[in-house]
Structure formats: structure tokens, C-alpha cells
Amino acid sequence: MKKFLDENFLLSNETAVRLYHDFAKEMPIIDYHCHLSPQEIYENKTFKNITEAWLYGDHYKWRAMRANGAEEKYVTGGEGATDYDRFLEWCKTVPETIGNALYHWSHLELQRFFDVYDIINEKNAPAIWEKVNAQLSGEGFGARDLIKKSDVRVICTTDDPTDSLEYHIKIKELPDFDVDVLPSFRPDKGLEINRATYLPWIEKLGEVYGSAISDYDQLLAALESRIRFFDSVGGKVSDHALDYVAYADTTKEEAAAIFAKALQGNGVSLEEEMKYKTYTLVFMGKLYAELGWGMQFHINAHRNNNTRMFNKIGPDTGFDSINDNSVAYPIVKLLDALDSEDKLPKTILYSLNPKDHYVLGSIIGSFQGGGIPGKIQLGAAWWFLDTIDGMLEQMKALANLGLLSRFVGMLTDSRSFLSYTRHEYFRRLLCDMIGQWVENGEAPDDMETLGRMIQNISFNNANQYFNFNK
């Protein structure tokens, strides 16, 4: 029987052990998609206790706590619930998460950041609280400290086009922090033309652009201006939450008329929405290609399912799920619209629905080229899929249909500074999968080739793909 979370955790064969310890373990990290706060990074945010570091904003843990019967005040906070109460409720929940990646992640976070090896449960909660909080109250456990402890070289945050990026700029001036914290262009509010947030966002965009936006040409000019501003601050990637993928043949004149209709406060039809999204997204895609950016599509999330809880505590609180919209036709048409003009940027396609892995994995093969290794990527397993099975299924689909060796690897997609253990989790699974191929005679026992492959997927591919030069 192996010891729980020992040094060879998830490594089931000798080849996997060699690959992980000799090649993967010491590789630095590139986190090219996350939701960390650049302000908190700049200010080197400190945490008053483990609850703040561990549970604030972590809707993965919140979902598990609710499933275990926790009252909402212990989940997201509320009157009468102290931070210790919330921590204790999580410690009661953790033993019930066996079989869920949260069980492993939570223990890894305690071990790697705080050198605490206690099994998380209600009995051990007081000791864990004291041990971790004693460290958090000392030096070396601010946000930047945790980033450096994980040997992170690049972080790409998720930023609205109207953001001033002031903290990204300030971070560059820090004398003792050699980590690139770069903005990612996330224009979702400018595409969701039927949402209540749309017109206020257009007004705000006009303010930062320096001119009120009264027609579609001005909107496109403002978007281009902001894209180029992000580029000037070091941005190298965009990010789009396409809960459904819209594509409809259209013209600029049609898109302009639809925008004018929305600007008057009138709703637009689904077909009109799709035309507006198509033209605007293709317009931005061409700019990404010109600048050498990567374009990310996060597809098939079903957000804010619970209306009562959305009204009570808002979005990003753990009430989302996997969607099952069709992706093949609209993705092909979008990529082809850009490729037809030879203006298809580097693109990463993620789907929250595992049924789409083989669909997307086959589509990307139709648009590779331009002398760029892995130009179109099948994105890492994310959100509900960054589990043992989810990661392996995504990597196997990519290996079966394309080139696993050109994969840009793992990301955190997280709001937590403790989530970098997910890269270790991913690397262990990668090494175990490839090690199993060697043990089965499906790949040669060539440590030079396999070790290079492991290190490329862990770090080098992303570094080259996004031109980070780290």
C-alpha cells in the first residue's frame, strides 16, 4: 500500500517516476489564464488567516460545502459566521470529498505552501488553523511571495477592455519581482448585446476611449484602440467566454444597423445577436493575428443556473454547470472566416463539455500551418474537467488526433494564490500516462526524447507559443 500523497503520488510505474522527478518537477510555471487580481499582486496582499487564503472566492470549495449540507453563511460568509466557523465547516467537508480532485488539491496546498501534512478533518482542524495562521502572520506569505515560491514566471490575468491596467504597469516597476503579470483582453460585455450590462459598458468604453460611442465604426475603433493599448502593456492573449458559439453570415452594414438598434435600448433577435457577435469577433480576431496574440475561446458553460441565489449573492459563486450546445459548425465557420483572409490568429479552443474533445480535436487539424507549431490548440481541461479523468481524457484525445508534444499545457483558471499545485497535479498525470505507454511498449524507453516532451508541455511550449521569452 502506498502512503497517501507520497513523493510518487499518481505515478504508477517506474518510468513515470523518472519522468516526473528528473524532468517535470523542477520546471517553472506559466499561468496563461487565471483570474488573479493584479492589484493584490502589486500590493503583495497578505491573508489574516487560512480562511481568507483558502475559501474566499473559491466556488469549487463552496459547491462541495453546500453539497455536504453547510448553511450558506458558512460557505460565502454571513452574519454570525466567523472565519474559523467557515474553516471548520470546510474541514468537516473535506473527508466527504474523497474521489474529488478537491481532496488532493486541499492537502497539496497545505503541504507545498505551509509544510503542513495533517489529514484535513474536523479533529485536526484546530491544529491546522494554528500552524497555517502562524505562518501567514509572519513574513514571506504575501501574494507575490506565494507566486515566487511556486516558481511562476508569467501570469496572464483576465481584464475588461475598459480596465486602466494601472496595476500591471506598476508591477513592471517593482524592483524585486521578476514575474511578468500581463493583461488578457476579455471583451465579453461588449459582445453580449442583449444583456443589461451592455449599454452601461458601451458608455464606459466611450469614456476610456475618450469619445462617446454613437455608431458601429466608433465601437470598432474603440475596441481596436483598447486592444493596442493592452498590447503596449505586454498583453499577448485574448479570452472569450462563448457560452454558445455564434456564427451567422453578415456584413458590416448589417452589424452596424443591429448596433444602432441596441443603442436605442431596443432588444435584438437571436439571429441579429449572432450576426453582431460574428462580425465583431472576426474584426477582433484579425487584430489579434496582426499583433501575434493568442485567441482563447472558452465554450459551453451554463452560467448562473440558480436565479434565487444569483439575485442574492451574484455571479461566480458556484451555481454554474456544463452546457451542451453544438460547436462543430460555428467554430469551423469562425475559424474559416479568419483563415480565408489569412488572418487567423493562434487559437486555443476549450470546451467545458468533454463530448466536444474529439470534435474540437479534429477541427484544429484543419487550420494548422503558418510555420507555427500547434498554432490551433485543444485547450487544457478546465473548471469541471480539471480532474484526473478530465485531464487524461483531454490529453488522450489530443494525442489520438494531433500532436500532444505541441500542447501548451496546464493553467489554473483560478482566483486563488494557492492553486499552483494544480500544475504539479497535471504534470504527475502527464508523466504517468506517458510512462504507462513506455511500460506497455507503446513508446520507446528514450528518456532524452520523452524528457524533452515533458518539459516542453510543462513550460517550453507555452513560453514559445505566446512569445513570453522567459
Side-chain angles (χ1 to χ4, degrees):
M1 179 186 300
K2 294 179 66 174
K3 182 181 177 182
F4 174 61
L5 282 180
D6 69 0
E7 64 177 4
N8 293 329
F9 169 61
L10 295 178
L11 306 174
S12 64
N13 57 78
E14 286 303 315
T15 305
V17 170
R18 292 165 60 199
L19 287 172
Y20 178 72
H21 290 287
D22 293 349
F23 298 99
K25 183 178 180 179
E26 301 302 326
M27 291 299 289
I29 287 173
I30 287 176
D31 192 13
Y32 56 88
H33 173 65
C34 73
H35 298 274
L36 295 178
S37 164
Q39 179 176 352
E40 292 179 352
I41 295 173
Y42 174 73
E43 296 173 349
N44 199 23
K45 175 182 173 64
T46 56
F47 305 91
K48 60 181 181 286
N49 55 51
I50 186 176
T51 303
E52 185 179 8
W54 222 14
L55 294 177
Y56 282 29
D58 193 335
H59 54 84
Y60 284 79
K61 294 185 175 79
W62 293 351
R63 288 170 65 97
M65 293 168 76
R66 293 185 188 113
N68 198 44
E71 296 180 48
E72 189 62 31
K73 66 179 181 180
Y74 298 120
V75 179
T76 50
E79 185 176 354
T82 67
D83 277 356
Y84 182 76
D85 293 334
R86 295 177 66 188
F87 166 76
L88 183 60
E89 197 68 33
W90 173 239
C91 288
K92 293 177 183 177
T93 299
V94 170
E96 311 304 326
T97 67
I98 290 177
N100 187 308
L102 283 168
Y103 192 76
H104 296 148
W105 291 351
S106 298
H107 286 90
L108 285 172
E109 286 162 0
L110 290 186
Q111 292 181 14
R112 299 299 181 263
F113 289 103
F114 305 107
D115 202 29
V116 171
Y117 286 80
D118 298 292
I119 299 299
I120 304 167
N121 54 41
E122 184 177 3
K123 178 182 177 182
N124 290 336
I128 295 171
W129 176 263
E130 294 296 331
K131 291 177 184 178
V132 175
N133 289 349
Q135 296 179 63
L136 288 173
S137 65
E139 296 293 324
F141 286 89
R144 294 205 304 269
D145 303 309
L146 296 173
I147 289 168
K148 288 191 288 187
K149 188 170 185 176
S150 298
D151 197 13
V152 182
R153 303 294 174 84
V154 181
I155 294 171
C156 293
T157 59
T158 304
D159 308 278
D160 190 270
T162 63
D163 197 295
S164 69
L165 306 185
E166 61 177 306
Y167 290 103
H168 295 86
I169 295 169
K170 288 180 178 180
I171 289 169
K172 294 177 185 294
E173 301 168 356
L174 292 171
D176 58 347
F177 189 62
D178 188 26
V179 178
D180 289 344
V181 180
L182 308 177
S184 298
F185 191 76
R186 180 77 171 247
D188 295 349
K189 290 181 180 177
L191 288 172
E192 296 299 341
I193 195 169
N194 270 319
R195 291 186 184 171
T197 54
Y198 183 72
L199 291 180
W201 184 86
I202 292 293
E203 182 177 355
K204 186 175 181 181
L205 178 64
E207 291 172 359
V208 299
Y209 175 54
S211 175
I213 297 170
S214 59
D215 62 43
Y216 190 58
D217 280 329
Q218 288 177 315
L219 172 63
L220 297 182
L223 287 170
E224 178 173 357
S225 173
R226 300 308 293 172
I227 289 170
R228 295 192 184 280
F229 171 63
F230 272 57
D231 187 71
S232 73
V233 180
K236 297 180 183 294
V237 65
S238 70
D239 185 58
H240 300 266
L242 304 182
D243 297 344
Y244 80 94
V245 185
Y247 183 85
D249 290 322
T250 191
T251 64
K252 183 179 180 182
E253 290 72 25
E254 282 186 304
I258 295 164
F259 177 72
K261 182 178 178 181
L263 209 58
Q264 295 300 314
N266 300 316
V268 305
S269 69
L270 177 59
E271 182 181 3
E272 288 173 325
E273 177 182 310
M274 293 175 66
K275 288 183 176 182
Y276 167 79
K277 287 182 173 180
T278 298
Y279 194 93
T280 308
L281 191 53
V282 169
F283 172 83
M284 290 189 289
K286 293 176 183 178
L287 285 171
Y288 305 153
E290 175 190 330
L291 296 171
W293 283 18
M295 177 172 68
Q296 297 178 97
F297 288 167
H298 285 86
I299 303 165
N300 252 337
H302 200 295
R303 301 175 193 271
N304 307 315
N305 299 333
N306 189 318
T307 302
R308 178 178 61 84
M309 294 305 294
F310 177 80
N311 291 335
K312 184 176 181 180
I313 58 177
D316 302 321
T317 50
F319 296 96
D320 309 305
S321 62
I322 296 170
N323 211 336
D324 59 356
N325 286 307
S326 176
V327 301
Y329 174 81
I331 283 291
V332 168
K333 295 294 285 185
L334 274 174
L335 297 182
D336 192 52
L338 288 159
D339 189 71
S340 294
E341 298 185 44
D342 198 20
K343 293 182 179 179
L344 176 62
K346 294 175 289 188
T347 302
I348 307 178
L349 304 176
Y350 311 80
S351 178
L352 199 52
N353 195 322
K355 75 175 179 61
D356 298 332
H357 287 336
Y358 274 80
V359 174
L360 297 179
S362 62
I363 288 172
I364 66 175
S366 301
F367 295 98
Q368 304 288 10
I372 301 172
K375 177 180 178 179
I376 314 300
Q377 292 269 330
L378 177 63
W382 62 295
W383 203 344
F384 296 110
L385 303 183
D386 52 7
T387 62
I388 292 176
D389 291 338
M391 292 185 205
L392 289 174
E393 288 172 8
Q394 181 271 340
M395 288 191 286
K396 288 178 180 179
L398 176 56
N400 283 332
L401 295 169
L403 301 180
L404 176 65
S405 60
R406 294 300 186 179
F407 181 32
V408 293
M410 188 56 175
L411 44 81
T412 64
D413 188 35
S414 175
R415 293 168 174 80
S416 170
F417 291 98
L418 301 180
S419 62
Y420 287 109
T421 54
R422 297 180 194 179
H423 283 259
E424 175 185 338
Y425 202 67
F426 165 82
R427 292 173 184 183
R428 287 177 178 272
L429 290 170
L430 171 66
C431 291
D432 190 66
M433 181 180 71
I434 293 176
Q436 192 62 55
W437 293 346
V438 174
E439 298 286 333
N440 290 344
E442 299 171 40
D445 185 16
D446 179 350
M447 287 295 107
E448 180 180 355
T449 297
L450 297 178
R452 182 174 64 251
M453 179 178 176
I454 293 292
Q455 292 184 333
N456 286 345
I457 296 171
S458 297
F459 178 85
N460 296 329
N461 285 346
N463 193 33
Q464 178 183 1
Y465 185 81
F466 296 107
N467 299 315
F468 289 142
N469 301 315
K470 297 300 286 185

